[in-house]
Amino acid sequence: MKFRRRGLLINGALGILLLGGAGAIHNALGLGGATQEAAVRTVAASRGTVVASVSASGSVESAQTRSLSFGTTGTVEKIYVQVGDKVSKGQILARLDDDSAREGLEAALADYQAAAEDSGSSSAAYAAYVKARIAYREAQREVTGTVLKAPFGGTITALNGAVGGSSSSSEGSGATTSGQSGASTGGSTGFLTLTNIAKLQLTGNFTETDVARLKVGQQATVTFDALSGVSGKGEITQIEPVSSTSNNVVQYPVTVAFTQVPKQVKLGQTATVSVEVGRADDVIALASSAITTAGGQSTVTLLKDGRQVRTPVTLGVKGTVTTEIRSGLSEGDQVVPPATTTTTGQQGNQMRGFGGGGGFTGGGGQPPGGGGR
């Protein structure tokens, strides 16, 4: 009898434990009568500044590049520079053998002087005088053309000839040249190329929607892919009227001249130009990700007294991070970002609250409106 009573007591205790465990599992799975309300995170509407900008990428190039050639043909006698040399305006860069040109100039001068003395004797003599004068001036240009000078200060970036070669042998050598706007376009036929590396620019391709918000004279900020934390300043100097199409996207080239160039910047570096096209100061601002726009109507989900209320809002300046709210919200209002759907095999992930909105995700155990401030 004694052993039987002990067995009954042990069995009873085990039964109670099993029932308690089953009840705990029942409640954990939400199968009981109690429900657990999931807390949601919110983002607050606050006062601040909203900035809208448009951007495009391109590469750093010189705004002043020229392919230079001699003014006449001949044999190269001397080259005074090499690639990488810095030169000043008017500096002699190279010269040709000018013996033949100077002999021609002396002969033309003698003919010109003789014709000038006899120019008043008859109409034929005057015509001969005019012809001799033209020939003399042409001979002067031939002599001048044997010397190649720098039209502006800059750096020699290409040299396509050698001493003893012909001044015309550099044609088709592929040096850089200047387009109408002063940009390097390639395909030069010059003897050498002179580039002003202190006068830089960038040409970016903006979409047709963005270019409509740009105008000549607007200020721009330039950042560089290879130079973290380094930025320069610029100004829009040209908006091309003719578009190009890339991947079915209509784009317009926009040239930005640097007004402030960081010393680390080099020709050819990839950069991004950003232009501010809208600004609103001291306004109600909200994270752009918390706004839903459909059918021309923008709305937000406002949290009021624990209830989520869909509320229409009027938008102003639209920035990349925040958007101006002109009506529909007040400072301090708590907005629930749109939910995101996450597909997983774990029930815990499926039971999360609202996500998205720049990192706004559900967080159990927090009171409504307790996050995002």
Side-chain angles (χ1 to χ4, degrees), residues 32 126 157 166 176 198 205 221 259 277 281 283 291 293 321 329 337 368:
Y126 182 77
T157 53
S166 170
T176 55
N205 291 316
T221 300
T259 55
V277 294
D281 296 311
V283 296
I291 304 169
T293 300
V321 178
L329 286 183

Side-chain angles (χ1 to χ4, degrees), residues 35-95:
T35 59
Q36 183 177 10
E37 182 178 352
V40 296
R41 283 188 176 241
T42 60
V43 56
S46 59
R47 300 198 75 86
T49 297
V50 178
V51 177
S53 62
V54 296
S55 61
S57 59
S59 59
V60 179
E61 58 190 19
S62 173
Q64 190 177 29
T65 296
R66 188 176 300 178
S67 184
L68 305 177
S69 297
F70 290 98
T72 186
T73 59
T75 301
V76 179
E77 182 179 72
K78 184 69 176 178
I79 299 176
Y80 299 97
V81 295
Q82 58 185 354
V83 174
D85 284 354
K86 293 183 178 180
V87 300
S88 57
K89 182 178 180 179
Q91 182 175 333
I92 297 177
L93 308 177
R95 67 169 68 245

Side-chain angles (χ1 to χ4, degrees), residues 67 69 160 167-176 186-191:
S67 184
S69 297
N160 306 298
S167 64
S168 61
S169 63
S170 61
E171 295 188 2
S173 58
T176 55
S188 168
T189 58
F191 184 79

